Amino acid sequence: MVSSSHEALHRIFQQDPGLFARAARHLGVAFPPPVSTVELSTDLTETQPLERRVDTLLQMNTEDGSFLLAVESQGRPAPDKSASWAYYLSYVYAKYRIPPVLLVVCADRGTAEWAARQVDIGPRQWCSLSLRPLVLGPDDVPVIDSPDDAARDIPLTVLSAALHRRDPGADAILNALAKALKGLSADDENTATTFIELTEQGLGATQAAELWRHLMAVDLSFFQSQTAQQLRAEGRAKDLLLLLGHRGVEVSEEDRERIVGCGDPDVLGLWFSKALTATSTAEVFASDGESGADAG
């Protein structure tokens, strides 16, 4: 199954294709920024019953001409991937007649080192094809921990957070990103929501993801989008359970499901206030928006 963090590492380039040229500078490669882009089908399947799909495929049109950008999110070394990547590049070049570039994005340093190796295909006497991916790993994207820097390039900061999610600097990146998102105008709510979602996906099941949910519940409370509401509700549900546990109030599995399943931040806030003095979950759930009958 494809993980959410896998999706975020290539979807960020769909959200902002110009991010590729900015990120590639950290690899010492200068690509011109696109003047337009075309999102192409990721299905590379032929008529045979073998299905092959690249994660993201974009046609990047620049002042210097066009090229295809194939983005692969790679979680761990895979011996067969080099052959698949060579196939992807050969196929899209044959199909579109546009020069392709392969970008591999890895949140793991060992995987990034593995992916960056040049692979020569052919007998030792003659190399018929060389595979040279561009690789973005934790050591290739800077730690963006300044709110001003984050505001100047939010997509790059999202990528920085995803790639440094297990590093000590992850908390500083997320704090800077939260402040940058908070500085967006109300008209940019949809854009902010997209980056909030991509960040959470990119963090995966890490401690940094817990911090991000907390930041979203507190710092971005002014956003009213469905995603922001969900993030606030998740944060408040967790805080409520922690408070009840700290106070020694017994929480049944049914009570826990009720708290976690409540998607209304206002109701959860009311329950939290009651939990400060309540001695049972029945007192927490009673009246004030939750009827006594429903509390049972």
Side-chain angles (χ1 to χ4, degrees), residues 234-251:
E234 289 175 0
R236 290 188 179 182
K238 175 169 284 191
D239 290 342
L240 174 56
L241 290 171
L242 286 174
L243 174 61
L244 292 170
H246 179 71
R247 297 195 62 248
V249 177
E250 183 179 350
V251 180

Side-chain angles (χ1 to χ4, degrees), residues 181-244:
L181 290 171
K182 193 172 183 179
L184 293 177
S185 67
D187 294 338
D188 294 322
E189 180 178 342
N190 289 337
T191 299
T193 299
T194 297
F195 290 130
I196 290 170
E197 182 185 59
L198 281 171
T199 302
E200 182 173 14
Q201 288 180 343
L203 295 174
T206 61
Q207 290 185 341
E210 297 297 321
L211 172 62
W212 183 244
R213 282 189 283 270
H214 175 74
L215 288 172
M216 294 304 95
V218 176
D219 287 355
L220 298 186
S221 58
F222 55 87
F223 279 138
Q224 297 300 317
S225 68
Q226 183 175 354
T227 300
Q229 289 274 29
Q230 180 182 350
L231 288 169
R232 288 200 298 277
E234 289 175 0
R236 290 188 179 182
K238 175 169 284 191
D239 290 342
L240 174 56
L241 290 171
L242 286 174
L243 174 61
L244 292 170

